[in-house]
Amino acid sequence: MSTTVLKLSFIAALFILPLSSVAQEFQGQAYYFKKSKLELGSWGARMSEAQKKQIQMRLKNRLEKTYVLNFNKEESYFDEEDKLDAMSGATDSWGKNFSPGESYKNIRDKQLIQSQEFYGKLFLVKDDLPAIKWKIGKETKKIGEYLCIKAMATIPSDQLTWYDFSWGQLRNSEQNEDQDGETDEPQIALTVVEAWYTPQIPVAHGPGEFWGLPGLILEVSADDTVMLCSKIIMNPKNKLKIEAPDKGKEISKEAYKNTITMKMKEMRDNRGRRRSR
């Protein structure tokens, strides 16, 4: 994905406080704007431009989000800012079931703790932080007042979207089952990730699932989504609260993914039985 996407619109409004010095122990707060492209596939080919625009407006709260990352040397807390749907004034209840919740990362212990709500039930996902094999390049650019270095990685797609659900993936997995009920070895989908990090803020944190570079990640592009930092506040006057969520049924990433997949299959099958009556 080209890094020029959104760049002009963001840089004009970018406001990042310069970092004059880094204390041995410090805190910071980074704001990120996330924007995703709407992919309608073959279905969209049958739609008019007016229809596409209407759908994009209705899904605006899913395609554009703002997040905050609180961090210190070892820990970070990442969560979405509350945002109402511009069309209806209501939160997106369907999308909320498959969106990332409050996320805590401890890079010293290589631990992820994330709160996820699925149809009213709260889960506490605890798992290891996945190792990301970054390839650091020589290309640089400025984001606000910070000099950033480009890094690339190829990451299994499921590792980035374990909290999400796709009917397409479910159909593909069911089609791979042979007549004996055995499942063919699935092909692992991969996502190419481009990140820009700044050594001026020497922490290994980043937005979402991304971490592990020798500096704070200020921009990251994966598939049709871009996250770009719009503001950084270093050592705020009021101490930041960086704590892991602690409510919900404890579960691993894999178990959580299996849980929501089984629930969605159950909902689909129940609808099918009702229609056949």
Side-chain angles (χ1 to χ4, degrees):
M1 183 178 203
S2 174
T3 59
T4 59
V5 177
L6 305 175
K7 194 179 300 180
L8 293 178
S9 60
F10 280 129
I11 295 300
L14 199 60
F15 176 65
I16 298 181
L17 299 181
L19 178 64
S20 58
S21 62
V22 179
Q24 185 65 27
E25 294 184 3
F26 65 90
Q27 290 188 320
Q29 190 170 53
Y31 291 79
Y32 293 85
F33 184 83
K34 174 182 176 181
K35 186 164 185 177
S36 302
K37 288 183 179 178
L38 178 62
E39 294 293 337
L40 297 173
S42 58
W43 181 51
R46 301 190 295 268
M47 301 174 63
S48 67
E49 290 302 318
Q51 289 173 320
K52 292 178 183 179
K53 186 174 182 180
Q54 187 179 33
I55 290 177
Q56 191 161 9
M57 287 299 295
R58 288 179 177 175
L59 296 179
K60 184 179 178 66
N61 62 323
R62 290 195 205 180
L63 299 173
E64 298 180 7
K65 295 178 180 289
T66 305
Y67 294 87
V68 181
L69 177 72
N70 295 338
F71 61 88
N72 56 31
K73 283 282 190 179
E74 297 178 346
E75 303 166 289
S76 69
Y77 177 87
F78 184 73
D79 196 17
E80 180 184 354
E81 282 195 314
D82 292 335
K83 188 175 182 181
L84 294 180
D85 183 271
M87 296 291 290
S88 64
T91 56
D92 179 10
S93 57
W94 168 264
K96 184 179 179 181
N97 291 304
F98 309 109
S99 298
E102 305 169 73
S103 179
Y104 167 88
K105 293 199 286 279
N106 188 310
I107 58 176
R108 180 192 62 191
D109 299 333
K110 304 293 191 294
Q111 184 184 40
L112 168 73
I113 301 176
Q114 189 158 313
S115 175
Q116 289 294 136
E117 183 180 349
F118 182 71
Y119 283 104
K121 187 171 183 179
L122 194 61
F123 293 88
L124 191 65
V125 181
K126 291 187 175 183
D127 219 314
D128 295 333
L129 279 176
I132 301 177
K133 296 181 179 179
W134 293 105
K135 183 177 180 181
I136 298 175
K138 296 182 179 179
E139 190 175 350
T140 63
K141 70 174 181 178
K142 292 286 287 287
I143 297 180
E145 297 298 319
Y146 294 93
L147 179 66
C148 295
I149 300 172
K150 182 178 177 180
M152 301 289 295
T154 301
I155 303 174
S157 301
D158 283 350
Q159 184 174 303
L160 302 176
T161 58
W162 56 267
Y163 48 80
D164 200 358
F165 173 80
S166 166
W167 289 113
Q169 289 180 357
L170 177 59
R171 286 192 296 268
N172 291 338
S173 66
E174 291 177 336
Q175 289 171 359
N176 286 335
E177 293 183 0
D178 58 30
Q179 293 180 350
D180 297 328
E182 296 180 357
T183 303
D184 295 337
E185 188 69 24
Q187 292 185 342
I188 299 176
L190 300 174
T191 297
V192 176
V193 177
E194 178 180 292
W196 294 84
Y197 73 95
T198 177
Q200 291 175 258
I201 306 178
V203 296
H205 299 303
E209 300 293 310
F210 307 107
W211 72 288
L213 283 165
L216 181 66
I217 297 172
L218 298 191
E219 181 181 339
V220 61
S221 304
D223 283 337
D224 297 312
T225 298
V226 176
M227 276 193 283
L228 183 63
C229 184
S230 59
K231 181 172 68 173
I232 294 177
I233 303 172
M234 294 304 303
N235 299 316
K237 294 180 179 180
N238 296 325
K239 189 174 181 181
L240 298 174
K241 184 178 181 181
I242 305 177
E243 295 179 352
D246 58 3
K247 296 180 181 179
K249 177 184 176 182
E250 290 192 16
I251 195 170
S252 67
K253 283 183 183 179
E254 183 177 1
Y256 180 78
K257 184 73 174 179
N258 291 337
T259 296
I260 64 174
T261 299
M262 292 298 295
K263 182 63 178 177
M264 295 304 293
K265 288 174 67 175
E266 180 184 325
M267 292 170 61
R268 178 199 62 184
D269 295 342
N270 287 339
R271 284 199 303 269
R273 283 192 289 268
R274 287 196 297 268
R275 289 173 182 172
S276 63
R277 290 175 183 175

